[in-house]
Amino acid sequence: MMEFYIPIIGLGVAVFTLIFLVLRTRVHVLLAMLIAAIIAGTSGGLTLSNTVEVISKGFGSTLGSIGIVIGLGSMMGRILEVSGATEKIAYSLIKWLGKRREEWALAITGYIVSIPIFVNSAFVILYPLVKALAKKGKRSVLTLGVSLAGGLVVTHHIVPPTPGPLGVAGIFGVNIGSMMLVGMVLAIPCVIGMTLYAKWLETKYPEYQLIDTEENLQQIHQRYMEEKASKPLPSLFMSFLPIVVPIALIFINVINGMLLKTEGFAGQENNFYFQSFNFLGSPIIALSISVLLAVYTLMPKVSKQEVTEHLEEGLKTVGIILLVSGAGGALGAVLNESGTGMILAQYIAGLPITPVLIPFIIATLIRIIQGSGTVAMITAASISAPIIKQIPDINMLVAAQAAVMGTLFFSYFNDCFFWVVNRMMGIKNVRQQIIVWSIPTTIAWGIGLCGVLLLNLIM
């Protein structure tokens, strides 16, 4: 009986050590995850040398499936950011939707641009538009700012090629295209919920309404863009092209995969059409095409050296995320190889809850404890994937979505985006900060939980 409990106790010690090292010491999360993997491996019956081998193998296999895609997505996002494509998308949506619907325009903008661009950068880039719209339309800064931030934070947390969801997809072994498309669908009600809450903030805090009739929206936007860069904005078509093309290629590939499982298309795998889109719709190729489109359509007159600098700047931002994702894969591989995952799976299968909620609960708890959504989802995936894989009839795509959705819970002081949103909107009172940002992220978390449970029933 004691042999049964030792791996479980060892995993508990490993998780406690991981959280303690990240929160209370100067040990980086990468080293903390490797230390946790060693503890889990040795307590699970692996020798030290076997543990090191499994860590290396798990690290390599995880990065092998997602590393290139993360890098390509970051490069594409950087070009969209510096070329002005992001502002063009935002400004065009605002003009289309018209007066008194600015919050929906900003929410849609956030939903779109945060798929390839990091959430903090996107909010900083687009916030001047929030102030411009608030002055022109006599609207609340809180309503417009939270709508934008809500659209940004949801897709950043659950839709690849954002690094966190990509890492989770790699650890759970699910198709990146399916992860992307399902995430985009589940994100919609979450963004709607946050935007409706943002509209209520206009009534709750009327003092955040800005009134300035001396300048119109066009003048404010134009002055901002002149300060931002001395170059014209790209066309809307060119701005959307690098985002839409890879999503379309991946979507077609996923649909083709579903068609090939039907009787009418059985045995057609080697058909030229299916072979072509199987190649073009693979995430690596689709995002490679996207980067090329971004470079040659959004920055056609920029020198090679400057373009290279922008691309490498994008890669610098994901280095640590790649390492943390790889370490998460290493921890998961150790749990799987040591048999700890099987032991826990047998126990969890008898619990009165659906097993897909395990990664959701773990991600939520770790999010509360240490703040980073990326670290929370990678850690939750690393711990839960080896367990859930041992339970029959569990859809790993749903489990992966549960892991990323759990990290939306109650963004507060230990989350850097909490400070970005509140400080840029000028909110200093702690109670107001929580009402303005912590509550809407929790609303998205609750809606996301409902979406995951519904998806689990369907799939």
Side-chain angles (χ1 to χ4, degrees), residues 214-229:
E214 293 180 2
E215 294 179 293
N216 62 32
L217 174 60
Q218 181 69 36
Q219 290 170 331
I220 295 169
H221 178 76
Q222 184 176 348
R223 188 179 71 244
Y224 163 67
M225 289 311 302
E226 287 172 355
E227 293 171 356
K228 185 76 178 174

Side-chain angles (χ1 to χ4, degrees), residues 33-370:
M33 294 189 86
L34 293 176
I35 292 169
I38 292 170
I39 295 172
T42 52
S43 62
L46 297 178
T47 65
L48 284 172
S49 59
N50 283 342
T51 301
V52 173
E53 286 179 18
V54 174
I55 287 174
S56 299
K57 192 183 300 181
F59 190 97
S61 63
T62 301
L63 289 189
S65 62
I66 64 165
I68 297 174
V69 179
I70 289 177
L72 290 169
S74 300
M75 288 193 291
M76 187 255 287
R78 181 62 180 165
I79 296 298
L80 290 173
E81 184 180 326
V82 299
S83 66
T86 303
E87 286 93 342
K88 183 65 179 182
I89 292 170
Y91 192 53
S92 298
L93 287 171
I94 289 161
K95 286 198 294 185
W96 287 348
L97 289 175
K99 191 175 181 181
R100 307 305 298 177
R101 290 193 290 271
E102 296 93 345
E103 66 274 12
W104 294 107
L106 288 168
I108 294 168
T109 300
Y111 174 94
I112 294 170
V113 303
S114 193
I115 294 174
I117 298 177
F118 281 96
V119 63
N120 290 359
S121 300
F123 190 79
V124 171
I125 291 168
L126 293 172
Y127 185 70
L129 277 179
V130 170
K131 293 184 70 175
L133 287 167
K135 289 179 180 179
K136 176 65 168 64
K138 300 180 182 179
R139 300 296 306 276
S140 168
V141 168
L142 301 187
T143 294
L144 302 185
V146 171
S147 298
L148 171 62
L152 290 169
V153 79
V154 172
T155 50
H156 175 80
H157 275 252
I158 68 177
V159 181
T162 304
L166 271 177
V168 171
I171 292 169
F172 275 94
V174 303
N175 179 275
I176 294 173
S178 300
M179 185 80 175
M180 178 185 291
L181 297 175
V182 171
M184 291 176 70
V185 173
L186 291 180
I188 293 172
C190 297
V191 173
I192 292 172
M194 293 186 77
T195 306
L196 291 173
Y197 180 85
K199 292 184 71 173
W200 172 80
L201 289 173
E202 199 162 24
T203 305
K204 174 71 173 174
Y205 298 112
E207 66 270 23
Y208 283 90
Q209 179 175 300
L210 298 181
I211 301 175
D212 188 340
T213 57
E214 293 180 2
E215 294 179 293
N216 62 32
L217 174 60
Q218 181 69 36
Q219 290 170 331
I220 295 169
H221 178 76
Q222 184 176 348
R223 188 179 71 244
Y224 163 67
M225 289 311 302
E226 287 172 355
E227 293 171 356
K228 185 76 178 174
S230 58
K231 59 179 181 291
L233 289 175
S235 69
L236 182 63
F237 176 78
M238 293 302 182
S239 298
F240 265 121
L241 197 63
I243 300 174
V244 173
V245 167
I247 292 174
L249 290 173
I250 291 170
F251 178 76
I252 293 170
N253 190 32
V254 171
I255 296 299
N256 287 346
M258 296 169 63
L259 288 175
L260 288 171
K261 293 178 182 178
T262 63
E263 291 185 12
F265 292 91
Q268 298 294 312
E269 292 85 356
N270 294 324
N271 180 282
F272 178 76
Y273 167 80
F274 289 111
Q275 283 288 304
S276 297
F277 278 101
N278 186 47
F279 172 74
L280 295 173
S282 63
I284 291 176
I285 301 303
L287 281 167
S288 295
I289 293 171
S290 176
V291 173
L292 291 173
L293 285 172
V295 169
Y296 284 100
T297 61
L298 297 178
M299 307 185 79
K301 298 180 181 179
V302 178
S303 68
K304 176 183 177 181
Q305 181 180 354
E306 188 176 344
V307 169
T308 302
E309 287 175 359
H310 289 315
L311 294 173
E312 291 179 353
E313 187 86 18
L315 289 175
K316 287 177 184 177
T317 60
V318 297
I320 189 58
I321 296 174
L322 285 169
L323 291 173
V324 170
S325 299
L331 175 58
V334 165
L335 295 178
N336 191 51
E337 192 74 21
S338 66
T340 306
M342 176 66 79
I343 294 171
L344 277 173
Q346 293 171 351
Y347 173 74
I348 289 171
L351 293 177
I353 62 170
T354 173
V356 297
L357 285 182
I358 301 302
F360 182 86
I361 293 168
I362 295 173
T364 300
L365 292 173
I366 295 175
R367 162 73 163 180
I368 295 170
I369 292 168
Q370 59 79 48

